[in-house]
């Protein structure tokens, strides 16, 4: 059956490997790589035959991953890391190439081959890092943004490497080729920015108007992979073109649906990539050269980790980000395979070095999920040994805060929350990462800590162990879940109130043990509906019943988490049902000139008289002997039906109507 049988073998093997990895609480990519080793050509048994075809399909997986990354790409979030991405990454590439050159010369390899080795190890794995960050739920952190920014620049750098390295023996011919490639890249980017941003949304709008989900999916695939292939034809990276296509499409209103459709395909083709990586690994070669491979793995891993960590700190990032980037980007990336094939075809590197690089790359990829998990504990340990780094604090009391509230994020929601808590004189502290918001917080006199609320160091500085409540007011869905997870790890018993970025996130936050969840857009929409319905002939009680029913349907899964939450809901409903309203007594009202006890208002209508305004005088809780006068303004407490009955009760006496107190028929059903 050819490739069809190979794909079937890969799917079954990947399923079994993924199942084992899931049961062992390990990333799925480890299961996929092990599955690739088992069905590869070096282990016997059930074997994939068309390995080259599978590798070609795996390249689609890399392109789709970067296409999906482009769809989620946010220039605002990456704005803060542009310095290290644009200037730090070239320094990292040059430094790592020098490291590889030194390792090669240490082992006695020729200078040209050592230079190739340095270039091969300088690249990190976009595929492995993105899948690892997704699996660990840390894709929205500052460290992840640094890594993604540097990986993007690395992927772009593959193109000049493919041109320069084979022609280093003759730079006079190589430089014109490189210049032509840069010119092509510039023209392509300009065409995408000025043409693609207008053409692509127009095409998708037309296709979406046909209401065909199938055609929409095919069009998204065609745009992503088609533009990637176009970049390949002009001498650029296929995956880089797909990434640019994703960025262009992200500016369209159809980006969310496109991402939703593309994710399953991305995961399937991504699985093929990791299985193909496993198939490259030759256990026999590893056993025969185990000492050499392990030595290279140690030298490359430690060397790259030190380079990335030092660069991250040099660009002003703190302890945790430095460790996270160092332990995240130490591996050798998938583009090293492409570059290595070119080196072999050009006879620039030997087959033994090719096998050594592949083995080292696969092993470092396997180690990556474990290393990224260790970043946080190592950062905490180093902080304790060196003393916790000084956090930027303002207006914190000299005595430790206790039974206070921690507010994560000072956007609109966080700001309003802080202002209300300040009026109530409740102790609180704000944790905010955006430096632009620090000064306004200081101006308000609110206690503030500069830092990422998902960092244990920041949480410790905010007194998370002594806090009474934690409010998550950030807007990013990923940041909300990450902060909740970190708070749960540091203080499992702390009560958390979180803002849900979207309705679909409510269930996820419920699973994390959040005590109260608020979805601002939903609450705002519900209030708009309630206010709108008041302009129609719909009873207030019916409006309250409708809005409470809708709110109950959304929040019902976690209403049992906290008893006081149910009580608050009941009080909220009671507030709408039981209200105070003012009425002016007409001169011909039956109760004018009579005492309150004589009118028997409560017996007839169910309302209670709580105040009477007469001229400039206000009578609170008037006694039963109080005598009503014409034009008195009376405050009554009761339900909507009871207040309606009071309006009827005080209406001027008409012919045939009995005076107040003589007609028991005025007792209303609301009192029953």
């Amino acid at each position: 059956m050819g490739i069809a049988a190979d794909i079937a073998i890969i799917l079954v093997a990947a399923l079994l490997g993924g199942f084992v990895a899931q049961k062992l609480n390990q990333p799925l990519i480890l299961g996929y790589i092990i599955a690739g080793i088992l069905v590869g050509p070096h282990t016997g048994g059930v074997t994939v035959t068309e390995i080259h075809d599978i590798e070609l399909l795996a390249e689609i997986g890399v392109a789709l991953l970067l296409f999906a990354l482009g769809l989620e790409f946010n220039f605002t979030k990456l704005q803060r890391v542009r310095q290290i991405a644009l200037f730090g990454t070239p320094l990292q590439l040059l430094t790592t190439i020098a490291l590889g050159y030194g390792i090669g010369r240490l082992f006695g390899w020729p200078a040209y081959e050592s230079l190739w080795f340095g270039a091969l190890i300088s690249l990190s794995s976009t595929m492995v890092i993105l899948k690892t960050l997704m699996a660990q739920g840390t894709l929205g952190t500052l460290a992840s943004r640094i890594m993604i920014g540097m990986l993007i620049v690395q992927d772009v750098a593959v193109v000049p490497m493919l041109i320069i390295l084979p022609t280093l023996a003759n730079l006079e011919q190589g430089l014109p080729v490189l210049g032509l490639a840069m010119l092509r890249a510039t023209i392509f980017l300009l065409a995408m920015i000025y043409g693609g941003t207008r053409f692509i949304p127009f095409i998708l709008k037309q296709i979406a108007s046909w209401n065909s989900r199938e055609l929409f999916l095919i069009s998204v695939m065609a745009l992503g992979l088609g533009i990637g292939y176009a970049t390949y034809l002009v001498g650029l990276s296929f995956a880089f073109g797909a990434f640019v296509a994703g960025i262009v499409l992200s500016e369209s209103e159809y980006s969310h649906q496109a991402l939703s459709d593309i994710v399953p395909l991305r995961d399937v083709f991504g699985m093929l990539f990791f299985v193909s990586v496993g198939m490259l690994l030759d256990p026999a070669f590893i056993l025969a050269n185990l000492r050499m491979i392990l030595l290279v793995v140690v030298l490359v891993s430690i060397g790259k980790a030190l380079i990335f960590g030092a660069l991250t700190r040099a660009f002003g990032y703190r302890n945790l980000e430095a460790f996270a980037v160092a332990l995240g980007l130490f591996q050798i990336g998938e583009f090293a395979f492409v570059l290595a094939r070119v080196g072999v075809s050009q006879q620039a590197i030997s087959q033994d070095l090719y096998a050594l690089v592949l083995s080292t790359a696969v092993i470092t990829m396997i180690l990556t999920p474990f290393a990224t998990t260790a970043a946080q504990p190592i950062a905490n340990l180093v902080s304790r040994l060196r003393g916790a780094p000084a956090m930027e604090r303002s207006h914190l009391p000299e005595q430790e805060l206790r039974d206070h509230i921690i507010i994560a994020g000072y956007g609109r929601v966080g700001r309003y929350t802080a202002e209300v808590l300040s009026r109530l004189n409740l102790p609180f502290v704000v944790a905010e990462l955006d430096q632009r918001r620090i000064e306004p917080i200081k101006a308000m006199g609110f206690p503030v800590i500069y830092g990422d609320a998902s960092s244990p160091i920041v949480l410790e500085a905010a007194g998370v162990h002594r806090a009474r409540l934690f409010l998550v007011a950030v807007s990013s869905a990923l940041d909300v879940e990450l902060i909740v997870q970190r708070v749960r790890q540091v203080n499992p018993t702390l009560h958390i109130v979180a803002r849900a970025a979207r309705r679909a996130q409510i269930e996820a936050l419920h699973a994390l043990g959040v005590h109260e969840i608020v979805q601002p857009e939903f609450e705002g929409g519900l209030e708009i509906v309630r206010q709108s319905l008041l302009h129609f002939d719909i009873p207030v009680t019916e409006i309250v019943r409708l809005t409470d029913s809708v709110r109950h349907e959304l929040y019902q899964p976690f209403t049992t988490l906290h008893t006081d939450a149910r009580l608050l809901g009941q009080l909220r409903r009671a507030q709408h049902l039981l209200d105070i309203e003012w009425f002016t007594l007409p001169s011909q009202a039956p109760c004018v000139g009579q005492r309150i006890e004589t009118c028997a208002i409560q017996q007839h209508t169910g309302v209670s008289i709580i105040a009477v305004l007469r001229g400039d005088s206000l009578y609170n809780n008037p006694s039963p002997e109080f005598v009503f006068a014409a034009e008195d303004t009376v405050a009554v407490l009761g339900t909507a039906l009871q207040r309606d009955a009071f309006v009827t009760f005080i209406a001027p006496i008409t012919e045939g109507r009995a005076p107040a107190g003589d007609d028991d028929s005025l007792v209303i059903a609301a009192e029953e």
Side-chain angles (χ1 to χ4, degrees):
M1 292 180 62
I3 192 172
D6 289 342
I7 292 177
I9 292 171
I10 288 173
L11 286 173
V12 173
L15 175 62
L16 296 176
F19 177 78
V20 173
Q22 184 72 23
K23 285 296 183 181
L24 296 177
N25 293 321
Q26 300 301 323
L28 293 179
I29 59 175
L30 295 182
Y32 298 155
I33 293 176
I34 293 173
I37 296 173
L38 295 178
V39 300
H42 307 293
T43 53
V46 180
T47 304
V48 173
T49 57
E50 305 293 337
I51 296 177
H52 180 66
D53 292 338
I54 298 300
E55 290 175 349
L56 293 178
L57 291 175
E59 290 184 19
I60 297 178
V62 178
L64 287 177
L65 182 74
L66 287 175
F67 180 53
L69 176 62
L71 286 171
E72 297 180 281
F73 192 79
N74 190 312
F75 283 104
T76 302
K77 289 184 177 180
L78 291 181
Q79 183 74 8
R80 186 181 172 191
V81 302
R82 67 184 185 279
Q83 296 290 337
I84 189 172
L86 296 177
F87 302 105
T89 307
L91 288 175
Q92 173 267 316
L93 290 171
L94 293 174
T95 309
T96 310
I97 290 174
L99 169 68
Y101 181 83
I103 293 174
R105 300 300 289 166
L106 179 65
F107 290 145
W109 301 339
Y112 190 40
E113 197 171 38
S114 299
L115 186 62
W116 269 86
F117 178 74
L120 293 173
I121 69 170
S122 67
L123 302 171
S124 302
S125 176
T126 304
M127 192 75 167
V128 171
I129 284 299
L130 288 179
K131 293 293 288 186
T132 301
L133 294 175
M134 291 175 188
Q136 296 177 351
T138 56
L139 195 56
T141 61
L142 176 59
S144 71
R145 296 168 191 167
I146 296 172
M147 287 188 274
I148 291 172
M150 299 186 78
L151 286 169
I152 291 170
V153 177
Q154 281 189 5
D155 292 343
V156 175
V158 172
V159 177
M161 283 186 183
L162 289 171
I163 298 171
I164 293 175
L165 288 173
T167 57
L168 278 178
N170 191 346
L171 288 177
E172 292 182 0
Q173 295 180 359
L175 289 177
V177 175
L178 176 60
L180 182 59
M182 296 300 294
L183 178 61
R184 289 173 177 172
T186 303
I187 294 174
F188 168 75
L189 290 175
L190 290 176
M192 290 298 298
I193 292 173
Y194 292 102
T197 52
R198 294 165 176 81
F199 178 72
I200 291 178
F202 174 77
I203 292 295
L204 287 181
K205 181 178 180 180
Q206 297 302 316
I207 296 174
S209 66
W210 298 339
N211 293 322
S212 173
R213 184 75 175 268
E214 183 177 351
L215 280 178
F216 185 83
L217 171 60
I218 294 173
S219 65
V220 170
M221 286 281 292
L223 286 170
L225 298 182
I227 293 174
Y229 183 64
T231 60
Y232 170 76
L233 292 178
V234 299
L236 300 175
S237 167
F238 177 52
F240 173 67
F243 173 72
V244 174
I247 292 178
V248 172
L249 187 55
S250 69
E251 301 300 321
S252 167
E253 59 184 350
Y254 305 104
S255 61
H256 295 93
Q257 184 59 46
L259 180 62
S260 174
D261 289 343
I262 211 72
V263 162
L265 291 170
R266 177 200 68 186
D267 292 340
V268 171
F269 280 96
M271 175 272 297
L272 287 175
F273 167 79
F274 287 108
V275 172
S276 69
V277 168
M279 290 191 297
L280 295 173
L281 199 61
D282 185 357
F285 177 83
I286 293 178
L287 292 176
N289 301 274
L290 184 60
R291 183 176 298 179
M292 179 68 171
I293 292 173
L294 291 179
L295 180 58
V296 172
V297 168
V298 170
L299 291 175
V300 170
S301 300
I302 294 178
K304 288 188 69 175
L306 291 175
I307 291 172
F308 277 107
L311 277 173
T312 305
R313 290 193 65 85
F315 276 84
Y317 296 97
R318 296 177 182 270
N319 191 36
L320 176 59
E321 284 74 29
F323 279 104
V325 174
L327 296 177
L329 299 180
F330 72 91
Q331 77 288 128
I332 300 176
E334 56 273 1
F335 282 117
F337 304 154
V338 179
L339 197 59
R341 289 195 192 102
V342 174
V344 171
S345 65
Q346 298 284 333
Q347 297 182 346
I349 62 175
S350 64
Q351 285 290 345
D352 287 343
L353 181 59
Y354 177 76
L356 176 64
V357 171
L358 291 186
S359 301
T360 304
V362 173
I363 292 174
T364 54
M365 286 180 178
I366 293 175
L367 293 175
T368 298
F370 301 102
T372 54
T373 304
Q376 184 73 64
I378 293 176
N380 294 342
L381 177 62
V382 172
S383 297
R384 286 195 295 268
L385 293 176
R386 297 172 53 188
M391 308 296 293
E392 184 178 334
R393 310 178 185 202
S394 297
H395 305 291
L396 291 184
E398 295 182 1
Q399 297 181 347
E400 289 186 344
L401 287 170
R402 290 189 177 276
D403 290 331
H404 60 290
I405 302 168
I406 302 174
I407 305 174
Y410 194 74
R412 286 172 295 181
V413 174
R415 182 173 72 251
Y416 298 148
T417 303
E419 290 174 357
V420 173
L421 293 178
S422 178
R423 289 186 180 185
L424 297 173
N425 293 321
L426 292 175
F428 67 92
V429 61
V430 178
E432 176 56 56
L433 182 60
D434 191 340
Q435 180 63 40
R436 294 170 298 180
R437 294 174 177 169
I438 298 299
E439 291 304 323
I441 300 175
K442 292 180 180 178
M444 294 294 294
F446 297 155
V448 59
I449 295 175
Y450 171 76
D452 188 346
S454 65
S455 168
I457 297 174
V458 175
L459 293 176
E460 184 66 33
V464 69
H465 293 289
R466 304 179 302 275
R468 184 170 184 175
L469 185 66
F470 197 100
L471 305 181
V472 185
V474 297
S475 58
S476 169
L478 287 173
D479 290 345
V480 170
E481 294 183 21
L482 181 61
I483 291 172
V484 169
Q485 290 173 354
R486 291 289 186 268
V487 173
R488 275 280 160 265
Q489 292 171 1
V490 178
N491 188 350
T493 62
L494 182 62
H495 282 219
I496 302 175
V497 177
R499 168 186 179 177
R502 54 184 182 272
R503 293 182 61 177
Q505 192 185 22
I506 291 177
E507 189 64 31
L509 293 176
H510 171 231
L512 292 174
V514 176
H515 294 82
E516 290 293 333
I517 304 173
V518 178
Q519 212 288 310
E521 288 76 14
F522 169 79
E523 293 291 345
L526 200 61
E527 181 62 20
I528 289 175
V529 170
R530 193 182 73 84
Q531 295 287 348
S532 300
L533 293 178
L534 290 174
H535 292 272
F536 296 87
D537 295 330
I538 300 176
V540 175
T541 53
E542 179 63 20
I543 296 175
V544 173
R545 186 198 64 78
L546 175 63
T547 54
D548 283 348
S549 176
V550 174
R551 182 180 285 108
H552 179 75
E553 290 175 3
L554 181 69
Y555 295 125
Q556 187 272 336
F558 54 88
T559 51
T560 57
L561 276 177
H562 201 267
T563 304
D564 290 342
R566 297 196 302 272
L567 176 60
L568 183 61
Q570 293 170 353
L571 292 175
R572 187 186 294 117
R573 288 191 294 273
Q575 177 186 357
H576 290 303
L577 293 173
L578 194 66
D579 208 349
I580 299 174
E581 194 167 355
W582 292 84
F583 299 96
T584 300
L585 298 179
S587 59
Q588 299 300 318
C591 56
V592 170
Q594 298 191 40
R595 295 183 299 174
I596 292 179
E597 62 179 358
T598 304
C599 295
I601 294 175
Q602 189 170 26
Q603 289 81 359
H604 286 79
T605 65
V607 301
S608 298
I609 305 298
I610 61 173
V612 177
L613 180 63
R614 181 178 294 169
D616 295 331
S617 301
L618 178 66
Y619 301 90
N620 289 316
N621 296 318
S623 65
E625 291 78 19
F626 184 88
V627 178
F628 288 116
E631 303 302 322
D632 279 350
T633 302
V634 181
V636 300
L637 175 67
T639 66
L641 288 176
Q642 290 170 340
R643 297 195 303 274
D644 290 343
F646 180 75
V647 172
T648 303
F649 180 80
I650 64 175
I653 299 176
T654 58
E655 186 177 353
R657 176 183 169 188
D662 295 338
D663 189 356
D664 292 336
S665 64
L666 290 176
V667 180
I668 63 171
E671 192 179 10
E672 294 178 355

